Amino acid sequence: MIQDIKCIIGLEIHAQMNTKSKIFCSCPNSIKEAKPNTNVCEICLGYPGTKPALNKTVFENGIKIAKALKCQVPDNIFFSRKSYFYPDMTKNFQITQYEIPVGLNGYMKIEYKGVMKKIKIRRAHIEEDPGKLIHKGGDITNSEYTLVDYNRAGTPLIEIVTDPDFNSPHEVLIFLTKLRAILEHLNIYDTEMIMKADANISVKGGARVEVKNITGFHNIIKALEYEYSRQKIMAKQGIFIKQQETRAYNEKSKTTKTLRIKESEADYGYIFEPDLSWQVMNEKRLKNIFSTMNELPDDRVKRFVKEYTLTDELSNVLIYTDKALADFFEKCAKEIKDYNLIGNWMATHLMKCLNYNNVSITKSKINPEIFSDFLKMIKSGDLSERLAKELIKDLVSTGKSIKQLIKEKKVKIYKDNELEEIIIKLIKKNPQVITDYKSGNNKSINFLIGEVLKETKYAADVVKVRKIILKIIQ
Ligand code: ZN
Ligand code: MN
């Protein structure tokens, strides 16, 4: 048997920040599609004589991310120009941070198969995004011609560089999930924003391959899975990559192909950016920034376990799947005090419906009020589990209240006295059940419950029916 070949992965992640304006000018930092080259000004177009003005929120966001990723924040932070000649960057340099960024030498803990692992964060820095190249009639390697749209130029980015500490694409998935949750909780990033990655990946004995510019959370994982299996299959045949190369990921074919043999960082010729001042980080300034930081997801998990007595697992699901789910949970928790009922229904049936409709909680029509009213009916026993499972589908897709749905769909809800009548009738029909029960056969009631459910077409709640039966036969 051929031994499984481990891979080594390191990441450079770019996440777009959700600030109102761009990083060095007052143009809106918009995610909406605008006409090409309309969301621009002299600064983000790099006109000669213009000077950048640093967006304070972008900078402070960078410090918060550094803190959340357990990085050291240097005392004196500055910006640098990364020189390169390419049509997506009019100035022929990108303003970024190189020598002294907002964060250095941090880490994130991830857990996989019960094993805790530290992923080292080499650095975190902020920078401007270049414009967008649109390759007509093909991709970057074979298009007829290329257009450029500078609307994106100057969009604030946070770049996070890890050490090559990952040993599988799955570990990367866990890391990115946590990272996304951290950025969401800091209110720096939301799911509408773009996350991109350059990933270095190699297997033992081979040179590393850099897969450039993979856009989107799921594509990052897919690209790594493809590249890992490609290198693994080659390695099993004794073929190893000899020279470091850069490849591009194709979203349609889900494969990678060679772009170029990579230049090194030094080739970019970084120089100090003289138009932006040094950022002096004294204790007071840091304290001020840290004091405005929101609760981080790991702390939130701990709080959910303590405050709401949810399991660790359930708390993780709610908090790391989508921050909005955890927010939704907390709103419901104000309405109905049965926290496990809320959590369990969310993590199972509600999430199933959302996934089925391919919609996020934020975009779906259901809200905490509707969901809480629905849960209250389950808790009181007015709504049987079977009915509830049916009706939740409509709650998610229509945004109507549970009362309205019951009325519209003419769902029969049995009142207590109606159930009593049915039960008394069934007891008369099956007197043996009571005799059996009274002679110590507790299970005999289950038969009666079954009959009631059949009679009510499963609209009656089991717990409630049992209670009423016991009341009657006592
Ligand atoms: Zn601008
Ligand atoms: Mn970058």
Side-chain angles (χ1 to χ4, degrees):
M1 199 190 95
I2 305 167
Q3 227 189 346
D4 200 33
I5 300 160
K6 264 198 180 174
C7 69
I8 299 162
I9 300 170
L11 294 178
E12 289 174 23
I13 303 137
H14 287 93
Q16 185 189 357
M17 289 188 196
N18 61 2
T19 51
K20 285 203 189 80
S21 51
K22 291 185 178 181
I23 183 169
F24 298 125
C25 62
S26 56
C27 289
N29 173 31
S30 175
I31 47 159
K32 288 193 197 103
E33 282 293 322
K35 258 187 91 186
N37 301 306
T38 54
N39 187 15
V40 288
C41 71
E42 294 85 345
I43 295 172
C44 54
L45 283 176
Y47 278 24
T50 58
K51 281 189 171 65
L54 179 61
N55 181 328
K56 188 173 162 232
T57 312
V58 171
F59 183 76
E60 292 186 352
N61 284 348
I63 300 291
K64 289 178 186 175
I65 294 165
K67 168 84 172 165
L69 295 176
K70 317 255 190 304
C71 291
Q72 297 149 14
V73 178
D75 296 337
N76 292 293
I77 297 168
F78 65 91
F79 287 83
S80 290
R81 297 177 169 186
K82 178 178 179 174
S83 314
Y84 72 89
F85 178 77
Y86 208 58
D88 62 3
M89 188 54 84
T90 55
K91 304 191 291 281
N92 288 343
F93 60 84
Q94 177 191 26
I95 304 179
T96 177
Q97 296 183 313
Y98 185 59
E99 296 85 349
I100 314 283
V102 285
L104 286 165
N105 304 321
Y107 65 88
M108 186 203 285
K109 280 185 189 165
I110 61 165
E111 199 183 318
Y112 182 41
K113 290 181 177 166
V115 182
M116 192 72 93
K117 183 171 179 175
K118 247 186 191 179
I119 302 296
K120 292 191 282 310
I121 309 287
R122 202 173 280 177
R123 52 189 280 122
H125 68 250
I126 47 186
E127 63 183 23
E128 58 179 339
D129 208 0
K132 194 164 150 191
L133 297 178
I134 298 138
H135 305 287
K136 287 287 176 182
D139 62 28
I140 189 168
T141 60
N142 58 17
S143 65
E144 275 176 57
Y145 60 96
T146 297
L147 299 171
V148 58
D149 175 6
Y150 291 108
N151 283 348
R152 202 180 64 187
T155 293
L157 301 177
I158 179 79
E159 177 169 344
I160 292 151
V161 183
T162 76
D163 270 0
D165 286 343
F166 301 97
N167 291 117
S168 69
H170 195 86
E171 287 180 359
V172 173
L173 174 67
I174 297 167
F175 176 86
L176 289 180
T177 304
K178 281 197 89 165
L179 179 64
R180 181 180 61 188
I182 289 172
L183 298 177
E184 279 179 0
H185 277 76
L186 290 174
N187 197 17
I188 284 171
Y189 172 90
D190 50 63
T191 35
E192 311 276 293
M193 300 287 130
I194 288 168
M195 193 184 273
K196 277 192 202 174
D198 300 339
N200 284 303
I201 171 166
S202 61
V203 296
K204 209 176 169 212
R208 67 197 163 104
V209 164
E210 185 179 32
V211 189
K212 267 278 198 210
N213 250 322
I214 323 162
T215 305
F217 199 90
H218 295 289
N219 285 328
I220 297 170
I221 306 302
K222 276 192 205 126
L224 286 172
E225 278 169 352
Y226 171 81
E227 191 54 30
Y228 178 29
S229 60
R230 187 182 76 90
Q231 292 184 24
K232 200 156 62 173
I233 290 165
M234 284 166 59
K236 281 178 183 173
Q237 296 165 15
I239 307 164
F240 291 95
I241 293 157
K242 289 199 186 73
Q243 202 173 5
Q244 198 180 319
E245 66 170 324
T246 301
R247 298 175 73 91
Y249 178 64
N250 185 315
E251 288 176 21
K252 282 193 195 114
S253 65
K254 297 186 173 53
T255 59
T256 62
K257 73 176 181 182
T258 305
L259 271 182
R260 59 176 179 269
I261 307 301
K262 195 193 154 74
E263 63 273 26
S264 72
E265 269 298 307
D267 296 338
Y268 284 113
Y270 287 90
I271 55 162
F272 171 68
E273 166 58 73
D275 287 337
L276 290 165
S277 54
W278 289 74
Q279 299 292 324
V280 182
M281 305 311 295
N282 55 36
E283 215 171 299
K284 194 176 155 211
R285 189 174 179 197
L286 281 176
K287 231 171 133 187
N288 272 336
I289 297 173
F290 295 158
S291 71
T292 61
M293 270 174 84
N294 294 342
E295 181 182 38
L296 291 169
D298 273 351
D299 297 327
R300 199 176 193 189
V301 168
K302 281 183 206 139
R303 183 168 61 81
F304 270 33
V305 171
K306 204 173 154 217
E307 192 175 328
Y308 302 118
T309 64
L310 299 187
T311 61
D312 210 54
E313 200 190 345
L314 185 52
S315 309
N316 273 293
V317 168
L318 294 174
I319 290 162
Y320 284 109
T321 307
D322 179 356
K323 174 180 176 280
L325 273 176
D327 295 344
F328 188 98
F329 170 85
E330 294 213 82
K331 282 186 190 131
C332 293
K334 289 204 176 88
E335 299 290 323
I336 172 167
K337 298 294 159 196
D338 194 337
Y339 308 131
N340 276 288
L341 180 76
I342 307 170
N344 287 324
W345 267 87
M346 282 187 71
T348 52
H349 308 297
L350 179 58
M351 280 173 73
K352 218 192 262 171
C353 287
L354 294 171
N355 288 340
Y356 181 79
N357 292 309
N358 195 20
V359 68
S360 67
I361 188 84
T362 326
K363 291 255 168 80
S364 83
K365 297 215 167 118
I366 195 162
N367 64 36
E369 293 76 54
I370 295 174
F371 193 60
S372 301
D373 283 346
F374 166 75
L375 293 177
K376 279 177 196 162
M377 281 194 79
I378 297 175
K379 194 169 163 64
S380 69
D382 288 338
L383 212 54
S384 71
E385 178 145 342
R386 182 177 299 201
L387 261 183
K389 279 184 195 164
E390 276 303 310
L391 288 167
I392 192 171
K393 294 176 193 158
D394 297 305
L395 282 185
V396 171
S397 60
T398 65
K400 288 175 182 164
S401 73
I402 185 65
K403 300 226 164 65
Q404 200 178 346
L405 275 178
I406 287 170
K407 218 164 121 191
E408 278 179 20
K409 303 195 110 193
K410 298 195 172 64
V411 179
K412 172 75 184 142
I413 302 292
Y414 287 86
K415 295 204 183 77
D416 287 14
N417 60 344
E418 289 172 316
L419 285 175
E420 268 168 40
E421 261 173 51
I422 293 169
I423 291 164
I424 290 166
K425 187 183 84 191
L426 287 168
I427 289 176
K428 273 185 193 149
K429 228 163 121 188
N430 307 281
Q432 190 59 35
V433 174
I434 306 304
T435 330
D436 288 353
Y437 176 74
K438 292 202 163 148
S439 63
N441 181 4
N442 287 346
K443 282 185 186 151
S444 72
I445 312 188
N446 292 345
F447 167 77
L448 199 56
I449 294 173
E451 291 299 299
V452 179
L453 293 185
K454 268 189 228 160
E455 182 87 18
T456 61
K457 299 202 177 69
Y458 295 90
D461 175 63
V462 182
V463 180
K464 191 178 206 171
V465 170
R466 179 183 293 274
K467 232 189 249 168
I468 298 176
I469 293 176
L470 288 176
K471 201 180 83 189
I472 292 171
I473 63 179
Q474 286 307 314

